[in-house]
Amino acid sequence: MRKKRYLILIAFLAALFFTACSNTTSNQNTSSENAKTTKKAIITSTPTLFFHGGGSSYHAEEHMVKAAEKAGVTKSVIRANVDSNGKVTLIGSWPKNAENPICEVNYENNRQLDFNKHGVYATNVVKALQKQYGIKKINMVGHSLGNISIIYYMLQNGKNKKMPQLQKEVNIAGHFAGLTFDGLPSSIKQPAGMKLDKNGKPNKMNSTYKQMTQVRQIYPKNQVRVLNIIGDIGNSSDGRVENVSSLSLKYLVADRAKSYQVVKIKGKNAQHSKLHNNPQVDKVLIKFLWNK
């Protein structure tokens, strides 16, 4: 009888031991799973991405971004650095309840003339933000070559509903139909004698602009509001980009855009490289994007 009680006691203690071990293991697994599934900050406000021009950097975006901060638009600014292979590194972080967050995009290869790669770079930035913050909508602002990132992002993603959807775009000093610099490849050279019809369609097109015309079928209908800001220092040019090249954006997007408008900035501060530091541009941009 005593032996039987002894065996029962041993069995009981063993059961307690294994139950304790099981609970400890279970708790460890639960802690591990919680660590793996910790939610990142989900951003519900629409982020705005800024793209700089050729030979430049995110520093060219800082004046506009600081103007937005001063206007009370946002307190949340990060940077996305893109190396020459398209790898994106996010610098800084947006808090969970970030209002109108901004991302300054920086391309290490800032003289890339393969416009398709600009689309890849922009896509990689948007994907990185989507993965980190779960964003579903975006705004985009481009200056000069930065506008190419917007057009080629849409060429590559305009029909992809799994990607964040473009809501508003601001194009500043865009050279959509080409540039007139000597030594440029014919694919991005503005054709001599180029003129636009009432719909913004060039009478002559280089090969890159012809490729861009595909967005006429790709932009989602009645979704994107477009603001086209051009500079005129007195000769129908901002000193680097002729107004006809910038205004050729109309043919690419106006038919499908929710709205399309042009703002012409005049005077010495309308010069190409001064437009992104122009208080008048700041005011127009802020009102368009955030109704401030």
Side-chain angles (χ1 to χ4, degrees):
M1 186 69 177
R2 183 178 296 178
K3 183 177 181 181
K4 184 177 181 180
R5 287 179 180 175
Y6 179 73
L7 291 174
I8 291 174
L9 179 61
I10 290 176
F12 178 72
L13 292 173
L16 284 177
F17 174 78
F18 286 117
T19 300
C21 287
S22 177
N23 286 340
T24 301
T25 303
S26 177
N27 289 338
Q28 289 176 342
N29 289 340
T30 301
S31 298
S32 177
E33 288 172 5
N34 286 341
K36 291 179 181 178
T37 59
T38 299
K39 290 185 178 180
K40 296 186 171 79
I42 300 300
I43 303 298
T44 56
S45 186
T46 302
T48 300
L49 284 62
F50 283 75
F51 296 89
H52 61 76
S56 188
S57 72
Y58 75 95
H59 291 301
E61 304 154 13
E62 289 182 314
H63 178 91
M64 294 181 286
V65 171
K66 287 178 179 177
E69 290 180 295
K70 187 175 180 180
V73 168
T74 189
K75 296 179 180 179
S76 304
V77 180
I78 65 172
R79 185 163 78 249
N81 191 70
V82 186
D83 71 16
S84 57
N85 295 316
K87 181 181 178 181
V88 177
T89 301
L90 298 180
I91 301 169
S93 61
W94 290 329
K96 182 178 181 180
N97 297 317
E99 181 181 0
N100 303 321
I102 288 175
C103 179
E104 299 172 330
V105 180
N106 184 76
Y107 289 170
E108 289 186 3
N109 186 351
N110 58 14
R111 297 184 185 276
Q112 175 60 256
L113 295 183
D114 182 346
F115 287 178
N116 289 286
K117 288 187 177 179
H118 286 263
V120 172
Y121 293 167
T123 297
N124 290 351
V125 171
V126 175
K127 283 183 176 179
L129 295 173
Q130 182 183 42
K131 181 178 180 181
Q132 185 73 14
Y133 297 104
I135 62 172
K136 298 184 182 302
K137 298 178 180 181
I138 52 172
N139 300 325
M140 289 181 162
V141 179
H143 173 258
S144 191
L145 190 59
N147 294 290
I148 299 304
S149 289
I150 301 175
I151 289 295
Y152 276 78
Y153 172 83
M154 293 304 290
L155 274 172
Q156 296 171 17
N157 301 283
K159 289 188 175 182
N160 186 352
K161 297 299 183 181
K162 294 182 179 180
M163 290 291 286
Q165 297 296 296
L166 183 61
Q167 302 300 300
K168 295 181 180 180
E169 71 172 82
V170 180
N171 306 99
I172 306 171
H175 46 76
F176 305 100
L179 291 159
T180 57
F181 301 160
D182 292 334
L184 288 174
S186 59
S187 60
I188 59 176
K189 185 91 171 179
Q190 180 179 310
M194 188 191 77
K195 297 179 181 180
L196 306 179
D197 67 14
K198 63 179 182 179
N199 297 314
K201 182 180 181 180
N203 61 336
K204 301 176 183 180
M205 300 181 188
N206 60 34
S207 61
T208 302
Y209 188 85
K210 288 179 181 178
Q211 185 181 40
M212 290 185 200
T213 60
Q214 295 173 33
V215 300
R216 288 171 50 80
Q217 288 75 45
I218 293 174
Y219 262 67
K221 193 74 172 175
N222 297 320
Q223 175 179 297
V224 186
R225 297 184 184 275
V226 181
L227 172 62
N228 191 7
I229 300 176
I230 66 174
D232 186 352
I233 59 174
N235 58 352
S236 297
S237 166
D238 65 17
R240 291 190 183 180
V241 179
E242 293 188 4
N243 290 168
V244 286
S245 185
S246 297
L247 292 171
S248 68
L249 175 65
K250 180 180 180 179
Y251 180 66
L252 299 178
V253 304
D255 285 349
R256 298 182 69 87
K258 189 170 185 178
S259 65
Y260 173 81
Q261 59 180 300
V262 176
V263 172
K264 180 181 283 191
I265 308 296
K266 296 182 179 181
K268 63 179 182 180
N269 288 328
Q271 193 273 338
H272 185 79
S273 60
K274 293 181 179 181
L275 282 168
H276 57 70
N277 291 325
N278 188 316
Q280 189 177 352
V281 171
D282 296 338
K283 185 176 180 179
V284 172
L285 179 150
I286 290 168
K287 183 178 181 180
F288 175 77
L289 287 173
W290 300 293
N291 298 314
K292 290 284 187 178

